[in-house]
């Protein structure tokens, strides 16, 4: 087992996010996932002779919105460049991207994960830029021949490439970064970041800082890891790479300038990275400004407008919920991570009942459990704001004890009636004190040992009697029962 | 009355007044094509039947478009849906365009009739139409001489009365130079004036669709139907369009014309210089004031042009790789040899396919320019070549802007010499490039320019008298002024009315 302080793990992530626009970056074709191959194409995105690109303004807006949310500098002048290379899934023989004047400059994304006790800190971003996606190559090995089939549905889809500085220091941080990014982009309405559908792709650049024989800190060669299909894969691949590079360093002591950047692919089945075919020579993409497109000029006023229109960000909401509703950092985090609808639900209930902490508890322990188990959306949740609020009010007022409240809650999942009706249907009613007293006296008589124990100092001995009281009458309020038992014992 | 001798304007009037039918017009020109094109080879594809069917339809429905029934020849670089569009290249020999260029849609709305697709230098790279993969076109004034390029076929059509109007493209002079060589009027509009959507790209920041006709009035006629913003072309201009026909007039008083002293360069033929002097006299007699100006950046134009054009072309022609459409080399060979068993690994086969396709699909001039452009954009060379060329371009633009603060337009030769014989320049690409010295500037600066007939060379042992064309250049969106000045000149001269004798003019 290698101690983590033998080396510092240095990770940078390159994330490609597919923007949630209705049409592609430079033409009007649809971008939805899963259509029949080559049915969402036109002369522009298939690179037909004579076709010309026209910028999708919405894609630019989403990019700017994202850049602002990531604390990036937004360029007042940004342009499009051609990245030239040949591949069958790249119909024009070049990709329209952004080279030296990207729409978003340096920024950061703060990551914090109270559950794993990572400190909150900013992961810096180098830049974020827009580019068009390539098509898909599908390797078809039917019939013994290795054919490759090309589907251009994806060609031209708008991508935002977000590049982080190598600030990430552990596999968990890498995962936290991606989770927070996905959450943020969901709140912004920019992307659904679904790795299975390819709307979020990640490459990881990994190396180590180690001490050489002279006790000086040196860097090992960088490895780019590709073919990561889930956040968990990212975490595991980074973990694996760290170990592998540490072992390799101990063998060959090669530093970063002694070997060029290597590319390795993550093999999820074997849970290892494997070297990918070396490119013959390092690619020279011969970037130059695309003469078919005009640059974009943004004024400071326009950027301010974008900033003003920015919705409340998850990081802001987390703090606000703690401040306004006195919920814990942990609770706030859980609800924010669940999504904007959950936050809205919580706030509505908290405002109505004026019981933020209680509302947070109920949502976490009960509402979210049902939602996650049954995989439904909070908008479809059968207990609406009003009913849950009323329930919580009753609990807070002492009219309903927790266990009965839980029963009521369960019932409300299938019974859409108003709260009072549900309560009545369950036969919940307040039990009068004299009835309770009778029950208590009975139980005390039947359990003299417990009385003795209680009088001997074991206060918790009466706990079992409470359960029994409930068995005799389910509506018995446990708190009241306890009070009465104590009263009777002490007065005897 | 021989209908092929009428201008497009006269044909439009005659058709409106019912003097003749669209079918009569189109069959007259079609007959002319049948008679002479086997020698001229202006057309790659001539749609006689479709053309006459279209004309018949126009007659029967009484269509009211401004070009109703007028036959138009189209350079094979512009997409017409359902028709082959080859760019004069093996690479697109069988390519059928899946959509109409915006210009074609507009001309269809104006009820123009498309006669056929004309020959051109491959992918618009060339100045003589000798670079076509499908044979060369002849200059109607002398079949042994070039018609110019790259829109040689289109120019030749109008000169030989195969069509009253034709459409070409001009990247460094490819409309104006053949217009000069063939003795017709050719306009390159301001960059962005006419949509490039559907114009198969050579050099995106330089390409413009251009027009050939007998005279400026006919050019104005078709420009009226073609100009205007297109949302499918991000580089198209929102500048409001003008009634170009309505802007014509004969009084040029107050017009200030500049004559750059640098244009009298060493390579300029004496005869063309004499035409310039004569043209100046005519324009002055019409009220214009002509004076010398200086444009010292002129000498850098050709170098800057060939660099920028080649760099952009290397990007634009990357799509011709045999993967999606057009010519593919390996596939056919695989089929022939039937080899499937011992295929080398995928990546090698892919590279092989690319290399074979592009080696066989492209002609030598195209390859030259792609290599030049790729080299100039490579790491380590970008700054010295491409960036440098862009800076020169900016300086040329600045210089012209200053000139146009002093004068309204610039007069000069279109070409340093009249049309040369086949093969004379084709062995020496550089000397052919230098022939573009007067035309490239307008593309670099994005300004409009028109070439118009202004004289003839003297007959000699090698050639009969060959047309001489002169050029007027104006500031951006000055097409109306250019057409007016040209029309006024043409009303005072008759160079543009001369026609070649097509029978018995041997090589």
């Amino acid at each position: 087992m290698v101690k983590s302080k033998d080396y510092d793990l240095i990770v940078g992530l390159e994330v490609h996010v597919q923007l949630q626009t209705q049409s592609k970056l430079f033409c009007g074709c649809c971008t939805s996932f899963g259509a029949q191959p080559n049915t969402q194409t036109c002369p522009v995105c298939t690179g037909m002779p004579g076709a010309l690109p026209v910028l999708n303004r919405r894609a630019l807006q989403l990019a700017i919105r994202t850049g602002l949310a990531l604390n990036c500098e937004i360029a007042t002048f940004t342009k499009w460049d051609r990245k030239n290379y040949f591949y069958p899934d790249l119909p024009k023989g070049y990709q329209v991207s952004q080279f030296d004047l990207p729409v978003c400059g340096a920024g950061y994304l703060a990551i914090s994960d109270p559950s794993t006790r990572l400190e909150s800190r900013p992961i810096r971003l180098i830049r974020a830029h827009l580019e068009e996606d390539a098509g898909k190559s599908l390797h078809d090995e039917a019939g013994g021949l290795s054919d490759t089939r090309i589907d251009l549905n994806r060609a031209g889809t708008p991508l935002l490439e977000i590049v982080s500085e190598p600030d990430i220091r552990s596999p968990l941080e890498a995962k936290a970064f991606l989770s927070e990014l996905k959450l943020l982009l969901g709140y912004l309405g920019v992307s659904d970041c679904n790795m299975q559908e390819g709307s979020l792709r990640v490459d990881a650049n990994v190396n180590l800082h180690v001490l050489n024989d002279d006790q000086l800190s040196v860097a090992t060669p960088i490895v780019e890891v590709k073919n990561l299909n889930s956040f968990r894969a990212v975490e595991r691949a980074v973990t694996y790479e760290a170990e592998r590079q540490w072992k390799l360093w101990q063998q060959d002591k090669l530093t970063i300038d002694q070997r060029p950047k290597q590319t390795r692919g993550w093999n999820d089945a074997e849970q290892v990275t494997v070297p990918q075919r070396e490119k013959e020579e390092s690619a020279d993409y011969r970037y130059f400004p695309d003469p078919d497109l005009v640059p974009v000029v943004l004024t400071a006023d326009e950027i301010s407008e974008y900033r003003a229109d920015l919705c409340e960000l998850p990081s802001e909401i987390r703090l606000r919920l703690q401040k306004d509703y006195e919920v814990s950092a942990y609770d706030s985090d859980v609800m924010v991570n669940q999504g904007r609808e959950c936050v809205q639900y919580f706030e509505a209930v908290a405002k109505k009942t004026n019981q933020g902490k209680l509302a947070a508890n109920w949502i976490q322990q009960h509402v979210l459990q049902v939602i996650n188990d049954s995989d439904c959306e909070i908008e479809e949740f059968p207990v609406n704001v009003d009913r849950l609020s009323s329930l919580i009010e009753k609990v807070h007022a002492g009219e309903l004890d927790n266990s009965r409240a839980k029963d009521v809650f369960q019932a409300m999942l299938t019974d859409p009636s108003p709260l009072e009706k549900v309560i009545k249907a369950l036969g919940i009613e307040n039990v009068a004190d004299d009835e309770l007293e009778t029950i208590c006296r009975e139980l005390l008589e039947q359990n003299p040992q417990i009385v003795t124990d209680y009088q001997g100092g074991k206060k918790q001995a009466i706990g079992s009697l409470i359960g029994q009281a409930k068995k005799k009458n389910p509506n018995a309020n446990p708190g009241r029962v306890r009070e009465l038992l104590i009263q009777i014992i002490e007065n005897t | 009355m021989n209908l092929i001798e009428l201008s497009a304007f006269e044909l439009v009037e005659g058709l409106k007044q019912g003097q003749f039918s669209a079918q009569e017009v189109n069959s007259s020109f079609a007959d002319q094509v049948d008679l002479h094109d086997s020698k001229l080879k202006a057309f790659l594809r001539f749609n006689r039947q479709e053309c006459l069917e279209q004309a018949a339809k126009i007659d029967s429905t009484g269509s009211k478009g401004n070009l109703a029934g007028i036959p138009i020849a189209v350079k094979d670089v512009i997409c017409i849906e359902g028709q082959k569009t080859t760019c004069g290249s093996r690479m697109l020999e069988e390519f059928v365009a899946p959509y109409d260029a915006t210009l074609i849609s507009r001309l269809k709305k104006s009820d123009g009739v498309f006669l056929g697709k004309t020959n051109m230098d491959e992918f618009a790279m060339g100045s003589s139409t000798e670079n076509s993969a499908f044979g060369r076109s002849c200059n109607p004034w002398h079949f042994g001489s070039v018609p110019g390029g790259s829109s040689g076929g289109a120019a030749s059509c109008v000169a030989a009365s195969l069509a009253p109007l034709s459409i070409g493209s001009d990247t460094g002079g490819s409309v104006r130079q053949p217009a000069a060589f063939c003795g017709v009027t050719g306009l390159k509009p301001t960059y962005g004036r006419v949509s490039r959507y559907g114009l198969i790209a050579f050099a995106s920041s330089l390409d413009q669709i251009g027009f050939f006709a007998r005279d400026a009035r006919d050019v104005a006629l078709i420009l009226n139907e073609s100009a205007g913003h297109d949302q499918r072309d991000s580089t198209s201009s929102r500048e409001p369009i003008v009634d170009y026909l309505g802007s014509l007039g004969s009084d040029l008083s107050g017009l200030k014309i500049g004559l750059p002293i640098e244009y009298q360069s060493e390579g300029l033929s004496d005869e063309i210089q004499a035409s310039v002097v004569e043209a100046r006299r005519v324009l002055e007699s019409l009220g214009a004031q002509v004076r010398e100006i200086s444009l010292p950046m002129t000498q850098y134009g050709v170098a800057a042009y060939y660099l920028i054009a080649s760099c952009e072309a290397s990007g634009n022609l990357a799509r011709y790789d045999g993967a999606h459409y057009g010519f593919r080399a390996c596939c056919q060979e695989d089929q022939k040899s039937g080899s499937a068993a011992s295929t080398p690994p995928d990546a090698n086969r892919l590279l092989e396919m690319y290399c074979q396709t592009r080696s066989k699909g492209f002609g030598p001039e195209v390859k030259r320019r792609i290599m030049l452009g790729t080299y100039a954009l490579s790491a380590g060379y970008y700054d010295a070549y491409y960036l440098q060329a862009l800076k020169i371009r900016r300086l040329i633009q600045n210089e012209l802007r200053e000139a146009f603060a002093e004068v309204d337009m610039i007069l000069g030769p279109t070409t340093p010499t009249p049309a040369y014989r086949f093969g004379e320049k084709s062995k020496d690409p550089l000397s052919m490039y230098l022939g573009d010295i007067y035309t490239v500037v307008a593309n670099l600066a994005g300004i409009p320019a028109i070439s118009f007939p202004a004289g003839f060379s003297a007959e000699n042992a090698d050639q009969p008298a060959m047309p001489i064309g002169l050029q007027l250049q104006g500031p951006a969106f000055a097409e109306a002024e250019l057409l007016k000045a040209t029309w006024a000149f043409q009303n005072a001269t008759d160079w543009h009315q001369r026609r070649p004798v097509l029978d018995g003019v041997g090589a």
Side-chain angles (χ1 to χ4, degrees):
Chain A
M1 183 64 184
V2 173
K3 288 187 308 213
S4 67
K5 256 346 206 168
D6 287 312
Y7 55 79
D8 283 323
L9 177 60
I10 311 293
V11 179
L13 294 179
E14 209 174 279
V15 183
H16 284 86
V17 172
Q18 205 167 297
L19 300 182
Q20 236 161 1
T21 52
Q22 289 189 315
S23 48
K24 295 184 177 181
L25 187 54
F26 295 112
C27 68
C29 290
C30 184
T31 54
S32 26
F33 181 80
Q36 283 295 299
N38 294 310
T39 53
Q40 287 174 182
T41 60
C42 74
V44 178
C45 55
T46 51
M48 286 282 141
L52 293 173
V54 179
L55 178 65
N56 177 338
R57 207 169 298 175
R58 179 109 186 106
L60 183 71
Q61 289 169 350
L62 293 182
I64 294 171
R65 191 190 286 182
T66 306
L68 288 170
L70 291 171
N71 308 289
C72 296
E73 295 251 338
I74 304 298
T76 48
F77 181 90
T78 186
K79 63 174 173 65
W80 308 99
D81 300 294
R82 292 187 182 176
K83 180 179 181 181
N84 301 279
Y85 65 95
F86 289 96
Y87 202 69
D89 66 7
L90 193 68
K92 295 191 295 295
Y94 59 85
Q95 175 197 31
V96 181
S97 176
Q98 300 193 288
F99 179 53
D100 56 332
L101 295 175
V103 57
C104 306
Y108 64 88
L109 177 66
I111 57 170
S112 65
D113 194 343
S115 60
T116 56
R117 278 169 276 137
L118 291 169
E119 287 170 356
S120 169
R121 64 190 199 88
I123 303 296
R124 293 170 304 161
L125 303 172
I126 298 176
R127 54 184 271 161
H129 72 259
L130 273 171
E131 59 184 31
E132 56 175 353
D133 207 348
K136 268 202 217 154
S137 305
L138 302 150
H139 299 287
D140 175 5
E141 309 207 355
L145 299 169
S146 45
D147 277 353
T148 300
R149 287 158 192 274
I150 307 293
D151 175 12
L152 294 179
N153 282 352
R154 204 181 65 176
T157 304
L159 294 179
L160 188 65
E161 178 176 324
I162 302 170
V163 185
S164 84
E165 295 273 13
D167 283 356
I168 292 169
R169 292 283 170 275
S170 75
L172 279 175
E173 278 198 346
K175 201 162 92 154
F177 175 87
L178 292 170
S179 303
E180 186 64 11
L181 183 64
K182 174 173 171 154
L183 189 71
L184 177 64
L185 295 177
Y187 270 80
L188 291 172
V190 161
S191 174
D192 61 11
C193 293
N194 183 331
M195 282 189 86
Q196 274 60 47
E197 290 185 357
S199 54
L200 185 143
R201 286 166 242 165
V202 184
D203 296 330
N205 288 304
V206 183
N207 74 332
L208 310 175
H209 283 176
V210 292
L211 291 179
N212 68 5
D213 294 332
D214 300 325
Q215 297 303 302
L216 294 169
S217 178
V218 292
T220 59
I222 297 179
V223 172
E224 181 182 20
V225 183
K226 296 176 100 68
N227 198 34
L228 299 164
N229 287 331
S230 64
F231 292 176
R232 217 173 52 164
V234 174
E235 189 191 337
R236 289 186 177 173
V238 169
T239 306
Y240 174 84
E241 260 304 295
E243 299 274 326
R244 189 191 69 82
Q245 289 189 24
W246 171 243
K247 289 199 192 100
L248 188 60
W249 159 259
Q250 293 180 303
Q251 279 171 25
D252 65 17
K253 302 282 195 216
L254 284 177
T255 60
I256 192 171
D257 28 330
Q258 290 174 321
R259 195 204 279 146
K261 182 159 136 174
Q262 193 195 20
T263 304
R264 297 177 74 92
W266 173 247
N267 183 325
D268 209 51
E270 309 288 323
Q271 297 278 298
V272 295
T273 61
V274 289
Q276 293 194 334
R277 195 162 24 90
E278 297 275 333
K279 296 191 184 120
E280 267 106 52
E281 59 283 319
S282 64
D284 174 9
Y285 293 115
R286 301 188 306 281
Y287 284 98
F288 72 101
D290 192 327
D292 286 329
L293 290 164
V294 292
V296 178
V297 171
L298 291 165
T299 64
D301 282 344
E302 283 170 316
I303 296 174
S304 300
E305 267 180 56
Y306 275 105
R307 209 185 291 277
D309 284 343
L310 209 56
C311 68
E312 199 182 11
L313 305 179
S315 52
E316 294 167 337
I317 301 176
R318 285 193 191 97
L319 292 174
R320 185 170 65 74
L321 294 186
Q322 289 172 53
K323 188 162 84 72
D324 292 354
Y325 302 103
E326 294 181 345
V327 301
S328 68
Y330 180 85
D331 289 352
S332 169
D333 195 52
V334 168
M335 290 190 290
V336 169
N337 288 357
Q338 194 70 25
R340 186 192 296 288
E341 293 73 25
C342 179
V343 171
Q344 285 168 348
Y345 185 83
F346 161 73
E347 285 203 74
V349 172
K351 284 199 178 109
K352 244 184 141 94
T353 60
N354 217 12
Q355 297 299 317
K357 279 212 202 87
L358 207 49
N361 284 344
W362 271 91
I363 286 172
Q364 271 190 77
Q365 288 168 25
H366 303 289
V367 176
L368 291 185
Q369 194 173 61
V370 173
I371 285 189
N372 291 332
D373 283 346
S374 64
D375 208 17
C376 81
E377 300 293 325
I378 206 161
E379 295 101 314
E380 303 159 341
F381 188 64
V383 182
N384 65 5
V385 168
D386 286 338
R387 292 209 295 167
L388 184 64
S389 299
S390 307
L391 182 62
I392 289 174
E393 277 166 348
K394 278 214 187 292
V395 170
H396 178 68
E399 290 170 36
L400 214 49
D401 64 83
N402 267 331
S403 61
R404 283 318 251 162
K406 278 185 217 166
D407 296 337
V408 173
F409 180 83
Q410 285 300 318
M412 284 205 286
L413 291 176
T414 45
D415 182 349
S417 321
L419 179 65
E420 294 297 338
K421 253 188 112 184
V422 176
I423 288 176
K424 221 167 161 189
L426 284 176
I428 297 175
E429 1 171 81
N430 269 323
V431 183
D433 261 9
D434 45 349
E435 204 190 312
L436 277 181
E437 225 193 288
T438 313
I439 295 173
C440 288
R441 287 190 190 283
E442 269 179 42
L443 289 172
L444 285 171
E445 268 173 53
Q446 291 161 8
N447 295 276
Q449 184 57 42
I450 287 177
V451 178
T452 319
D453 288 343
Y454 182 84
Q455 285 166 334
K458 261 205 207 157
K459 304 289 180 201
Q460 61 272 34
I462 52 169
S464 61
L465 294 182
I466 299 174
Q468 289 186 48
K470 270 194 85 86
K471 282 208 190 92
K472 285 193 186 267
N473 185 337
N475 285 325
N477 183 313
R480 190 71 189 125
V481 167
R482 178 190 289 275
E483 279 171 16
L484 287 171
L485 286 170
I486 293 171
Q487 217 175 10
I488 295 169
I489 294 173
E490 288 180 355
N491 287 338
T492 312
Chain B
M1 161 177 36
N2 193 348
L3 293 178
I4 64 168
E5 286 174 2
L6 298 180
S7 71
F9 184 85
E10 289 164 337
L11 289 167
V12 166
E13 288 302 305
L15 283 163
K16 270 197 211 147
Q17 288 161 28
Q19 288 170 20
F20 36 75
S21 68
Q23 280 170 94
E24 285 174 291
V25 171
N26 279 272
S27 55
S28 299
F29 284 100
D31 288 346
Q32 182 77 345
V33 174
D34 285 338
L35 208 51
H36 297 292
D37 200 45
S38 55
K39 295 188 294 277
L40 285 171
K41 299 203 196 341
F43 281 98
L44 287 174
R45 263 155 282 111
F46 164 54
N47 309 319
R48 184 189 179 100
Q49 180 160 346
E50 275 178 44
C51 179
L52 294 177
E53 279 170 12
Q54 189 59 24
K57 212 184 289 180
I58 287 169
D59 282 332
S60 66
T61 60
S63 299
K64 290 295 186 290
N66 291 335
L67 290 173
I70 303 298
I72 304 171
V74 179
K75 181 180 183 182
D76 208 16
V77 74
I78 295 170
C79 291
I80 299 183
E81 188 180 345
Q83 292 191 20
K84 280 199 195 156
T85 308
T86 68
C87 291
S89 178
R90 252 196 104 191
M91 195 58 95
L92 293 178
E93 191 171 0
E94 302 299 325
F95 175 72
V96 174
Y99 68 98
D100 274 337
T102 298
L103 173 67
I104 298 297
S105 313
R106 290 185 180 177
L107 294 177
K108 278 184 179 175
K109 283 213 187 82
S110 307
D111 296 314
V113 177
F114 298 118
L115 205 51
K117 298 303 229 24
T118 61
N119 198 13
M120 53 185 282
D121 283 302
E122 189 180 358
F123 282 108
M125 300 180 187
S127 307
S128 64
T129 312
E130 289 170 297
N131 291 332
S132 171
F134 309 118
R136 56 197 199 189
S137 304
C138 305
N139 190 316
W141 296 85
H142 178 234
F143 288 10
S145 294
V146 304
S150 58
S151 315
S156 172
C157 271
V158 171
S161 305
L162 304 184
L165 294 172
S166 67
I167 302 171
S169 68
D170 189 313
T171 305
S174 292
V175 162
R176 291 161 288 149
Q177 184 252 34
F181 279 10
C182 292
V184 297
T185 305
L187 170 76
K188 181 201 83 70
T190 308
Y191 184 81
R193 179 76 292 179
V194 178
S195 169
R196 286 190 302 118
Y197 188 79
L199 167 66
I200 297 180
F202 156 23
S204 316
S205 74
L206 299 160
D207 290 344
Q208 261 298 274
I209 285 179
F211 306 99
F212 295 97
R214 291 238 151 261
D215 55 44
R217 187 175 57 176
D218 278 2
V219 173
L221 178 65
I222 192 169
L223 186 61
N224 268 5
E225 306 306 301
S226 310
H229 180 252
D230 178 17
Q231 63 181 18
R232 303 191 105 125
D233 175 358
S234 301
T235 62
S236 97
S237 170
R238 287 179 198 272
E239 181 77 15
I241 53 178
V242 165
D243 175 9
Y244 299 102
L245 214 46
S247 308
L248 300 177
S250 51
D251 180 14
L252 302 182
S253 353
L255 186 68
K256 296 197 288 264
I257 301 180
L259 212 46
I261 53 179
E262 289 80 7
Y263 281 14
Q264 274 189 263
S265 57
E266 236 178 69
L268 179 63
S269 97
D270 293 333
E271 289 172 312
I272 296 185
Q273 174 55 17
S275 297
V276 173
V277 172
E278 172 61 17
R280 172 183 188 162
R281 194 194 59 73
V282 171
L283 290 164
E284 281 170 333
S285 75
L286 294 167
Q289 294 163 35
V290 184
R291 61 177 225 249
E292 270 76 19
I293 60 171
S294 177
L295 297 177
M297 290 299 296
T298 301
Q299 60 179 312
Y300 303 114
V302 170
Y305 166 78
Y306 274 97
L307 260 171
I308 294 171
S310 302
C311 288
E312 293 183 4
S314 71
N316 287 329
L317 270 66
R319 67 193 64 196
Y320 306 114
D321 58 6
H324 305 292
Y325 52 77
F327 176 72
R328 182 197 286 193
C330 265
C331 195
Q332 292 157 9
E333 280 169 359
D334 276 340
Q335 283 171 0
K336 271 194 232 143
S337 65
S339 69
S342 58
T343 52
D346 276 14
N348 289 348
R349 265 182 87 203
L350 181 64
L351 187 59
E352 185 68 15
M353 190 269 283
Y354 285 151
C355 290
Q356 289 288 325
T357 298
R358 289 167 70 84
S359 299
K360 297 191 174 141
F362 288 138
E365 183 62 28
V366 171
K367 286 189 225 178
R368 248 193 295 278
R369 299 205 196 180
I370 291 176
M371 286 193 284
L372 178 62
T374 307
Y375 180 84
L377 289 173
S378 316
Y381 297 103
Y382 180 95
D383 285 355
Y385 293 116
Y386 184 66
L387 194 56
Q388 200 70 333
L390 291 181
K391 290 178 183 176
I392 291 173
R393 183 177 196 170
R394 173 57 61 98
L395 292 175
I396 289 175
Q397 288 171 350
N398 290 349
E399 183 177 83
L400 280 164
R401 201 175 314 127
E402 281 170 28
F404 287 130
E406 303 295 316
V407 297
D408 302 312
M409 50 187 75
I410 293 168
L411 173 70
T414 305
T415 58
T417 67
Y420 37 83
R421 298 173 61 97
F422 284 119
E424 222 175 272
K425 298 265 170 93
S426 53
K427 303 288 186 297
D428 184 359
L430 272 179
S431 88
M432 193 172 296
Y433 294 173
L434 287 169
D436 296 335
I437 184 168
Y438 300 116
T439 49
V440 293
V441 166
N443 301 87
L444 288 168
I447 58 175
I450 187 167
S451 178
F452 53 92
F456 279 84
S457 64
E459 183 176 331
N460 62 37
D462 289 332
Q463 284 173 320
M466 296 298 287
I468 286 172
L470 296 184
Q471 179 181 231
L472 279 171
Q473 300 173 79
F477 304 106
E479 285 84 3
E481 288 75 15
L482 291 177
L483 288 165
K484 178 180 175 187
T486 306
W487 181 239
F489 179 87
Q490 287 173 337
N491 276 332
T493 58
D494 68 353
W495 306 114
H496 63 290
Q497 286 167 344
R498 306 254 193 106
R499 289 199 187 353
V501 174
L502 292 170
D503 297 313
V505 181

